[in-house]
Amino acid sequence: MTADSPLPARPATLEDVAAVAGVSRATVSRVINGATTVDPALRRMVEEAVDATGYVPNRAARSLVTRRTDSVALVVSERERRPVSEPFIGRMFSDPYFGRVVSGLLEVLRPAGIQLVLMLADDQSSRDQLLSYLRHGHVDGVVLISSHADDPLPGLLHDTRLPAVLAGEPRRPTPLTYVEADQRAGAQLAAEHLVSLGRRRIGTVSGPQDMPAGQARLTGFLDALSAHGIRDVKAVEGDFTHTGGAAAMKRLLEDRADLDAVFIASDLMALGALPVLLRAGKEIPDDIALVGFDDSSAATACDPPLTTVRQPVEEMSAEMARLLLKQIGSPGEPVPSAIFHPTLVRRRSA
């Protein structure tokens, strides 16, 4: 550095912010640390002074005061060694559902200054590591996506006493808050739509039957058809993946070549199933009407675009983030769960 080189500007301090705002250092500290008892006019003055000075809070020092890390974990829990057509991590990053979950969470967490930490749990070792991480206070709360009905992680998570919200209603009793779409009702919408089109030779590619969503969508669909006197319904189990949907659709056609309608329990599976139908000489929707589930980007990637049941994943995920922040901000206060209602989105496949 030469004598003519300017000295680097020092970082702004709490005292600098206090001087610009015309308030005490203690008031600035209370605003920075999220105190709710600060007069709104003073809060605005401090926030304007923070912007003017470029003050950046010291996160380490702040965490000593607030006992918070300003981060939450998104935990994706998967059954150990479940037989599927694609590896766990590959499925997670290729499935539009997970991207929609992250998008909804960040819509709420990012403006609140909260960081999102992604953690995977697909065997006992990774679960042990996860629980150790959580118990050591590295995050303020958890959003859990659990993929199978007998997952022990919701119960173990409750034992940590951390604020937590589940994506989906747990099948084992637990007091944890959850956000869910009415899966059965969504599948019933698909059934009612196909019946309204006059379709009677109906089959389905279900989701995995070790997963609550897979179970609920299948039973909801079959129950609705049964109410219309349609009980001879061929069901083939898929795995919620693109390649799994293709394989299941091939098996379904081998068993029932005369199908005139198929409900496929995820858009991603439908995207894989569609080329199988076209190679078999089936015109969509003239020969076979096709309905999916999710209303993800996979639905519009289909040709023709897929009629599907929409579950509002982004809105549900944003609500999960809001419920989690309520728990973090008001420890011990009950936070009710939330259930969203699916809708049918009609496109050209049915």
Side-chain angles (χ1 to χ4, degrees):
M1 180 180 293
T2 68
D4 295 330
S5 300
L7 293 172
R10 66 173 177 80
T13 65
L14 283 178
E15 288 77 7
D16 296 329
V17 177
V20 172
V23 300
S24 69
R25 184 186 187 282
T27 298
V28 174
S29 178
R30 288 165 61 208
V31 172
I32 295 297
N33 290 314
T36 59
T37 56
V38 180
D39 180 87
L42 289 179
R43 181 181 299 279
R44 284 193 298 273
M45 292 168 59
V46 171
E47 290 171 346
E48 290 171 359
V50 167
D51 291 339
T53 60
Y55 174 74
V56 178
N58 183 318
R59 295 179 66 89
R62 183 183 176 207
S63 67
L64 290 174
V65 176
T66 64
R67 297 184 181 275
R68 296 181 187 171
T69 65
D70 287 340
S71 62
V72 300
L74 171 59
V75 177
V76 183
S77 177
E78 167 75 344
R79 176 185 289 279
E80 186 174 359
R81 294 185 296 276
R82 184 161 64 85
V84 293
S85 55
E86 298 174 17
F88 175 34
I89 293 179
R91 292 199 322 282
M92 191 183 72
F93 286 106
S94 64
D95 190 335
Y97 172 79
F98 293 102
R100 297 174 69 192
V101 169
V102 171
S103 176
L105 292 172
L106 290 180
E107 179 183 331
V108 174
L109 297 178
R110 184 177 290 164
I114 306 297
Q115 301 298 315
L116 188 64
V117 180
L118 175 63
M119 306 192 72
L120 311 179
D122 60 345
D123 57 26
Q124 187 59 50
S125 174
S126 59
R127 278 193 293 271
D128 291 342
Q129 291 175 3
L130 167 68
L131 291 169
S132 175
Y133 183 86
L134 298 180
R135 288 174 178 137
H136 279 84
H138 294 296
V139 295
D140 300 323
V142 177
V143 172
L144 173 63
I145 299 176
S146 178
S147 66
H148 54 284
D150 58 353
D151 189 352
L153 201 49
L156 296 172
L157 183 56
H158 176 253
D159 292 342
T160 69
R161 304 304 178 191
L162 268 177
V165 177
L166 305 185
E169 182 178 2
R171 292 304 178 259
R172 291 182 174 183
T174 173
L176 295 180
T177 299
Y178 64 87
V179 175
E180 175 70 287
D182 191 333
Q183 306 289 334
R184 284 180 56 90
Q188 289 167 354
L189 290 175
E192 295 291 343
H193 179 61
L194 292 175
V195 170
S196 75
L197 298 176
R199 307 298 170 123
R200 305 290 294 183
R201 302 184 305 278
I202 302 174
T204 181
V205 174
S206 77
Q209 292 305 288
D210 64 342
M211 296 176 63
Q215 296 168 0
R217 293 176 195 181
L218 178 59
T219 57
F221 184 69
L222 295 179
D223 287 349
L225 291 181
S226 179
H228 288 279
I230 302 174
R231 298 180 178 86
D232 182 20
V233 181
K234 178 64 179 179
V236 174
E237 185 175 351
D239 63 9
F240 282 155
T241 72
H242 180 277
T243 53
M249 189 71 249
K250 184 177 179 181
R251 297 198 306 273
L252 186 59
L253 282 180
E254 289 171 350
D255 288 341
R256 290 289 302 272
D258 65 338
L259 291 174
D260 64 6
V262 179
F263 168 53
I264 302 184
S266 81
D267 294 344
L268 195 60
M269 290 199 298
L271 184 61
L274 190 57
V276 175
L277 292 169
L278 297 178
R279 285 195 297 269
K282 305 292 186 181
E283 294 289 335
I284 311 296
D286 294 342
D287 297 328
I288 294 185
L290 200 62
V291 176
F293 200 109
D294 285 329
D295 194 29
S296 69
S297 58
T300 53
C302 290
D303 186 16
L306 187 66
T307 293
T308 186
V309 176
R310 182 176 190 272
Q311 57 171 344
V313 175
E314 291 87 353
E315 294 92 328
M316 293 163 61
S317 301
E319 182 66 7
M320 285 191 287
R322 283 189 286 267
L323 295 178
L324 185 62
L325 292 183
K326 284 183 181 179
Q327 292 185 40
I328 293 170
S330 302
E333 292 188 12
V335 176
S337 298
I339 298 178
F340 285 70
H341 300 288
T343 55
L344 184 73
V345 180
R346 295 191 61 175
R347 297 191 179 96
R348 298 206 311 270
S349 70

